Amino acid sequence: MTSNAQVGSVSEARGPAPVSVLVVEDDATIRRAVQLALERYGYRVAVAADGLSGLEAFRAGAHDLLILDVMLPELDGIGLCHRIREESPVPVLMMSARGDALDVVAGLEAGADDYVIKPVDTAVMVARIRALLRRATFRPEAEEGPAAGKSGRADHILVFGDLSVDTLGMEVRRAGETVSLTPTELRLLLEFAAAPGSVLDRRRLLRDVWDYGWEGDTRVVDLCVLRLRKKIGSGRIETVRGFGYKLVRG
């Protein structure tokens, strides 16, 4: 664990309770280093040393964010992320000891929102955590104007074929059925819905959805789009080869 920059090492919490983070890591030295680093930034940190214990800790407590190592005994981080995604949209940050593409892809396909490579720079990890928490609490500003448009629908309900997006209630429905999205998937869909028919390139999405102020891995975007397509319909988001993606209007 390294710390090349001190990014406001004061309590992140200004409300009645600090943000709760669950760290699941089998290496005791790394686990303790991550715990101490996050506690210095004001987070409340719970830890677990293997996948099954991590699953029990997740179910036993109300955690705001999870940090999962990929290589865990009993139940690996990929399997643990799958199990968590069956129960909750809680933000998940994966840690990998290698920059191995297979690790990264597997973690993101399992439903993780982002990842970091060990040894982890404290400033980078905290920045990723802050971005994930902002997405988890994101609420678009209410639009001005009348409560209903000409169609009779509320202005904040956007309709694309059988897909409807309530930007105030933060609810997505497909053919009348509620679609369960993670905060990152919802934020991504809202970006597309704000500019239907327009091509959004991966770098813009990394900046606006993942809140990256630096160069990021565009695989994060591609795999989140893939997950989103599975939930809202494969033809709803179109790939524009060499440029990016766009939301199909009709």
Side-chain angles (χ1 to χ4, degrees):
M1 174 75 67
T2 61
S3 180
N4 297 331
Q6 295 300 315
V7 186
S9 52
V10 296
S11 176
E12 293 289 334
R14 292 292 182 267
V19 171
S20 175
V21 178
L22 172 62
V23 178
V24 187
E25 163 64 61
D26 63 318
D27 185 301
T29 301
I30 296 175
R31 185 171 65 246
R32 183 60 175 163
V34 171
Q35 179 179 10
L36 291 175
L38 295 184
E39 287 176 345
R40 283 197 297 272
Y41 283 86
Y43 296 105
R44 184 176 69 240
V45 183
V47 297
D50 62 72
L52 290 180
S53 297
L55 184 60
E56 291 177 2
F58 159 70
R59 288 171 171 168
H63 303 290
D64 300 295
L65 182 138
L66 309 182
I67 300 176
L68 312 179
D69 185 32
V70 171
M71 303 298 291
L72 293 170
E74 305 296 337
L75 175 65
D76 68 19
I78 307 302
L80 176 56
C81 189
H82 271 298
R83 298 279 287 275
I84 288 166
R85 277 291 169 258
E86 291 173 355
E87 303 177 24
S88 171
V90 63
V92 174
L93 180 67
M94 300 293 294
M95 288 194 300
S96 174
R98 305 172 294 168
D100 192 306
L102 293 177
D103 279 354
V104 171
V105 169
L108 296 172
E109 285 184 334
D113 297 280
D114 204 348
Y115 72 95
V116 291
I117 302 298
K118 295 187 288 187
V120 179
D121 184 294
T122 300
V124 170
M125 174 174 280
V126 170
R128 300 286 177 88
I129 289 172
R130 286 173 170 168
L132 284 172
L133 292 171
R134 280 195 294 272
R135 293 203 291 279
T137 57
F138 172 79
R139 291 292 183 275
E141 294 182 4
E143 296 182 5
E144 297 180 359
K150 294 180 181 179
S151 66
R153 285 185 176 274
D155 287 344
H156 57 83
I157 297 178
L158 309 178
V159 180
F160 309 96
D162 67 348
L163 185 72
S164 66
V165 182
D166 182 342
T167 61
L168 293 186
M170 304 296 280
E171 183 177 57
V172 177
R173 290 181 175 271
R174 182 184 178 195
E177 298 293 326
T178 300
V179 179
S180 178
L181 300 178
T182 68
T184 301
E185 291 164 354
L186 178 57
R187 187 69 182 86
L188 180 61
L189 178 57
L190 289 171
E191 284 295 317
F192 284 121
S198 299
V199 178
L200 306 184
D201 67 70
R202 293 171 177 82
R203 296 297 175 188
R204 171 180 167 177
L205 291 170
L206 276 174
R207 181 193 70 215
D208 294 345
V209 177
W210 278 263
D211 201 17
Y212 279 3
W214 57 89
E215 289 296 303
D217 187 345
T218 57
R219 287 174 297 187
V220 175
V221 177
D222 295 334
L223 290 166
C224 192
V225 168
L226 180 64
R227 295 202 315 264
L228 186 57
R229 279 173 167 159
K230 291 178 180 178
K231 295 181 178 183
I232 68 172
S234 59
R236 184 57 54 195
I237 299 176
E238 180 180 311
T239 300
V240 180
R241 194 172 298 278
F243 293 94
Y245 301 99
K246 68 178 181 179
L247 183 69
V248 177
R249 291 175 181 272

